[in-house]
Amino acid sequence: MLALIGFVLMAVLMVVLIKSWVSPPVAFIGLPLIAAVIAGFGAEEIGGFIGSGLKSMLSTAVLFVFSLSYFTLMDEIGLFDPVINFLTKKAGKSRMMIVAAIILTTFVAHLDGSGATTFLIVAPAFLPIIKRLGFRKEALLAIICGPYAVMNIVPWGGPTMRAATVAEVETGDLYSFIMPGVVVLIILAFVNGFLVNLNEVRHGLKPESEAEIAAEEAASESAKRTWKYWFNLALTLVMLAFLFLDTPLPLYSIFMIAYAIALVVNFPQTKTQNKKIKELGQNAMVMTVTLFSVGIFMGVISGTGMVDAMATAIVNVLPAAMAPHMHWFMALFSVPLMMILGTDAFYYALLPIIIGVVAPFGVSAQAVAATFLLTATFGTPVSPSVAAVYVGLGLADITIGDHIKYSLKFVWPMSIITLIASTLLGVIPF
């Protein structure tokens, strides 16, 4: 019964988000609470679920508020304009050069294995460029999804460590085992970028006019001549360096400190600082509310046991004849499963069950872990259950429904192609 309620909840949630019938906060707050009441939980229990869920989102919400405010401020004062002008002039009319630059930058930005860091570095830098080319904002996140999937499973990344722990193998050994599949992922990251570019061309590009470009370039040249520009550039570079360094400072505190310094330097008067804080805070408010709403959603579905019940039910409903190949057939749906269950539940709840089912047929735990790592990684950057995704959504100013509607048609086929190619390469047993 609990699993059924969970599946209905997730189905309704996906439809509501994609169709935009209500705003995301309303969906993430209202739907799980209704589901919890139907499942028979009382007010005190539901209150506990909400509390634990909100605590899990607190650091991400703080990170989001200050990072978005910081980058919005930097964009206003023209920090990124010279880079934008340089790249667009070098690329000329070659959209694929810009796409390749986005992909390569994402590879580097995701070296620390943090999805939030990746979006924070890539989205503010390239959003103005893709607008100038006439791409939709959703296209930027769809392009990022390819290299994000590759770097999301580096040996020090969360998914790989989770999978290695469950499979009881060394993280380095697991990564070495999946390396041929990782090569496939790298190739598909560029294929994905090419397909997104093609999709935008077919949709119809709406690039900025020559007058708009000329005005932006003039503004950026003016910004370059002030000492504040060079200070802001140095501050941003130092801040980005701290994101990659292994420091005891929490990620959000780095942005808080940089934001405070930037406000004081660029707006010395207290009255102006307060005005700017209000203006910049408005941009972050909607997505911050959404983030806390997601916290309620995650707290309820985890605390009620819906996630575990769904994972078990998925395995139990499959035909017994499929048991020797269950890991392979389940991997066909790893992207939507990752979107429904979230990273922790996917690896800690579903993966052990699958390992137990196929073990009597000679399929090793390492092979099952490899199967899910290589295929489910495409689901992470489009999952409504992954907090880092909302950082990218806020920076790109799009909704989770628009992101899923646009990107799912690219990432799910890429996952299936990876499954087939890795099977042919001998990484994934059938």
Side-chain angles (χ1 to χ4, degrees), residues 118-149:
T118 304
F119 287 121
L120 288 167
I121 293 172
V122 182
F126 285 97
L127 185 61
I129 299 176
I130 63 120
K131 283 182 180 178
R132 184 172 293 189
L133 293 176
F135 281 23
R136 287 170 288 177
K137 293 179 288 187
E138 293 88 340
L140 174 61
L141 295 191
I143 294 168
I144 291 173
C145 283
Y148 186 111

Side-chain angles (χ1 to χ4, degrees), residues 251-288:
L251 199 62
Y252 57 81
S253 69
I254 296 172
F255 277 99
M256 294 174 75
I257 295 167
Y259 180 56
I261 295 171
L263 276 176
V264 171
V265 171
N266 290 280
F267 307 101
Q269 295 184 346
T270 305
K271 186 180 291 185
T272 312
Q273 289 173 14
N274 290 332
K275 181 183 176 183
K276 271 295 165 189
I277 289 171
K278 289 179 182 177
E279 290 176 0
L280 299 171
Q282 288 175 355
N283 297 330
M285 183 54 63
V286 174
M287 198 56 68
T288 304

Side-chain angles (χ1 to χ4, degrees), residues 334-357:
S334 60
V335 167
L337 286 172
M338 174 61 76
M339 294 171 66
I340 292 171
L341 299 175
T343 309
D344 284 340
F346 186 88
Y347 288 107
Y348 290 139
L350 182 62
L351 181 57
I353 297 172
I354 304 298
I355 289 174
V357 171

Side-chain angles (χ1 to χ4, degrees), residues 186-199:
I186 293 171
I187 295 170
L188 289 179
F190 288 94
V191 172
N192 179 66
F194 172 79
L195 293 176
V196 172
N197 173 60
L198 193 62
N199 184 67

Side-chain angles (χ1 to χ4, degrees), residues 238-249:
V238 170
M239 182 193 71
L240 294 176
F242 269 93
L243 295 181
F244 283 104
L245 295 174
D246 185 17
T247 67
L249 292 172

Side-chain angles (χ1 to χ4, degrees), residues 284-342:
M285 183 54 63
V286 174
M287 198 56 68
T288 304
V289 170
T290 302
L291 266 175
F292 281 123
S293 305
V294 172
I296 293 176
F297 168 75
M298 294 303 298
V300 170
I301 66 170
S302 299
T304 57
M306 287 182 195
V307 171
D308 292 338
M310 285 190 289
T312 304
I314 289 169
V315 176
N316 290 340
V317 298
L318 295 174
M322 197 183 288
H325 316 289
M326 186 172 288
H327 64 291
W328 202 93
F329 287 107
M330 290 291 289
L332 290 170
F333 303 96
S334 60
V335 167
L337 286 172
M338 174 61 76
M339 294 171 66
I340 292 171
L341 299 175

Side-chain angles (χ1 to χ4, degrees), residues 122-189:
V122 182
F126 285 97
L127 185 61
I129 299 176
I130 63 120
K131 283 182 180 178
R132 184 172 293 189
L133 293 176
F135 281 23
R136 287 170 288 177
K137 293 179 288 187
E138 293 88 340
L140 174 61
L141 295 191
I143 294 168
I144 291 173
C145 283
Y148 186 111
V150 178
M151 303 305 291
N152 195 47
I153 56 173
V154 290
W156 52 89
T160 309
M161 288 191 285
R162 290 181 181 93
T165 301
V166 172
E168 297 182 350
V169 296
E170 290 293 329
T171 307
D173 293 340
L174 178 58
Y175 195 74
S176 298
F177 182 76
I178 67 171
M179 269 308 297
V182 173
V183 174
V184 173
L185 291 177
I186 293 171
I187 295 170
L188 289 179

